[in-house]
Structure formats: C-alpha cells, structure tokens
Amino acid sequence: MNKQSNTYTIIYIIVLVVLVGTALAATSLALKDRQQENIDADKMNQILAAALITPAEGQTVSDFNRYITRQMVVDAQGKELEGINAFDVNVAAQSKLPADRRELPVYVCSTDNGDKYILPVYGAGLWGPIWGYVAFDADGSTIYGAYFAHQGETPGLGAEIEKPAFSDQFKGKQVIKDGRFRPIAVVKAGQLPIDGEDYVDGISGGTITSKGVGSMLDNCLVPYRKFLQSLSEK
C-alpha cells in the first residue's frame, strides 16, 4: 500500500485509535477496584473526621471498622430500615427527595467520650456541591464535631468551610432547644438568627457558600429530627 496515500493515513489513524482506546479501557478496568478503594477510604476518613478521629497513615479501613461499631439507615419517623447498607446510600440523590421518602444513613462511632451518631449532609455551594458529616452526642442534640468539604469553592473564601476554623464552631451547639428542633444557623459575623437557634459565623467573603451550608443543614438534618429526639428521650 502506498504510505503516502490518503487511504493509508486513514487506516493508520483508525488502527492507532483502536489500539490506544483498548489500552485505556484495559487500564481503567484494571484500576477500577483500586480507585473504588481510594474513594471508600476517603469517605471513611471524612466520617471519622466528624468524630474528631484522625486515622494513622494506612490505617483508615481498620480504624473505621474499629470505631464505627454500627451502621444503619432510618426513615423520617426514626425507624430503622432493614436490608440497606448505610455506606452505599447515595446521599446526594436522597437529599433531593421529599423528607418522608429518604433513606437516612447513621454511623454509630464508639469513642472514649461515649457513642457518637454521625449523620451525612449534602448541598450546593457557589460553584458546585458541598457536603459533610455532623457527629452528635448520645443526647441527640449536642454536636460533638463536624466535617465539611467542597468540590470547587473559591480558595480563601467559600473553600474555608473545609478548615477547622469554621467546622470547630459547631462543637457544643444544640439542635434541640426548649423542646424544639432547630438546625444550626449560619449567619454573617455580628448578626443573630431570628428564631433563637444556636448559630455559627459564616465565612467572610463567602456569603453564598455560607448560606449553602445553612440550607444544607436545614434540608439534611430536619429529616433526622425524630431519630435525634428518640436519642434525647433515652
């Protein structure tokens, strides 16, 4: 075949594309399990971070299995749903459903300070999704710790929600006050919430992201109200 012809060039390109595509597909399949392991380990780290636990390097899975003594899924009535793996629940998808149709994961974490109940939250920031985990004391009201993350918030502004300076404000805040369930408000520094709920200061210069965190907490924690109140009653 004439190597200078258009036909040769086209055939050469097609063969090259097929070979490269096959190699990339094979590589992706070979690494799929490892990629999923890394995704799962990152999620485990985030869940433990809400309970103020930092696994040793290379010990994420073992520490997760050590501290997380129980996983369950409840409904908006606080009743446990059978046959559902909490770790596999797509919180992003669930957050878009009506509260009475959601599957609500709960991670029970055993610490030196007693059992903590870790709940996932998911919402929208300025440039993309934001998410996190909130750990409650066994009284079902007091926040023990929190962890927040984002996909693309502005560095130095909205991205500050992932810093301890922001998440540490949630420690000790109460979601049940005077018998009423009120998720933590996120307000501009110097302002007070209108309904008397506990609050934290938002990020300076990150107003939209801060409001996103507040909306996320409202949307994702309210469905857990009866579950948390059942802990409080105990």
Side-chain angles (χ1 to χ4, degrees):
M1 181 180 293
N2 183 2
K3 293 185 179 181
Q4 303 301 320
S5 67
N6 290 336
T7 301
Y8 177 85
T9 301
I10 292 173
I11 294 175
Y12 179 85
I13 291 173
I14 291 174
V15 172
L16 184 61
V17 169
V18 170
L19 290 175
V20 172
T22 301
L24 291 175
T27 302
S28 177
L29 288 173
L31 295 176
K32 185 176 181 180
D33 290 343
R34 179 64 61 84
Q35 291 171 340
Q36 189 59 51
E37 288 174 2
N38 290 337
I39 291 172
D40 290 348
D42 184 53
K43 182 176 178 178
M44 292 176 183
N45 270 319
Q46 295 180 19
I47 293 171
L48 291 176
L52 312 182
I53 297 170
T54 303
E57 185 175 354
Q59 299 298 313
T60 296
V61 176
S62 59
D63 280 357
F64 182 84
N65 293 329
R66 170 189 173 192
Y67 289 106
I68 302 301
T69 55
R70 188 183 180 198
Q71 300 181 41
M72 57 182 165
V73 177
V74 300
D75 62 16
Q77 299 303 312
K79 297 180 180 179
E80 185 172 355
L81 301 176
E82 300 294 336
I84 304 175
N85 187 336
F87 200 82
D88 293 335
V89 172
N90 186 332
V91 178
Q94 293 296 319
S95 70
K96 297 176 175 61
L97 297 176
D100 60 357
R101 291 176 50 197
R102 294 188 198 178
E103 297 171 354
L104 306 170
V106 178
Y107 301 91
V108 183
C109 182
S110 178
T111 74
D112 292 339
N113 296 313
D115 284 347
K116 310 302 173 187
Y117 295 81
I118 304 172
L119 315 179
V121 293
Y122 188 95
L126 174 60
W127 301 114
I130 56 177
W131 64 90
Y133 296 89
V134 182
F136 287 86
D137 280 329
D139 65 4
S141 176
T142 307
I143 294 179
Y144 179 73
Y147 172 88
F148 300 105
H150 65 92
Q151 179 172 295
E153 299 306 287
T154 307
L157 298 175
E160 295 297 299
I161 64 170
E162 67 182 0
K163 302 292 182 61
F166 178 71
S167 59
D168 284 353
Q169 295 182 84
F170 287 82
K171 296 177 182 178
K173 302 297 184 181
Q174 303 276 336
V175 297
I176 300 176
K177 299 183 68 176
D178 302 323
R180 294 177 56 192
F181 184 87
R182 303 181 229 185
I184 308 304
V186 182
V187 299
K188 185 176 181 180
Q191 295 185 349
L192 297 175
I194 60 175
D195 201 27
E197 63 265 45
D198 277 0
Y199 66 94
V200 301
D201 291 335
I203 302 297
S204 178
T207 303
I208 295 179
T209 306
S210 297
K211 289 182 177 179
V213 174
S215 296
M216 173 174 70
L217 295 175
D218 283 342
N219 179 48
C220 293
L221 292 185
V222 168
Y224 284 98
R225 175 174 60 86
K226 290 191 175 181
F227 171 75
L228 292 172
Q229 286 177 332
S230 70
L231 295 179
S232 180
E233 291 168 0
K234 291 178 182 179

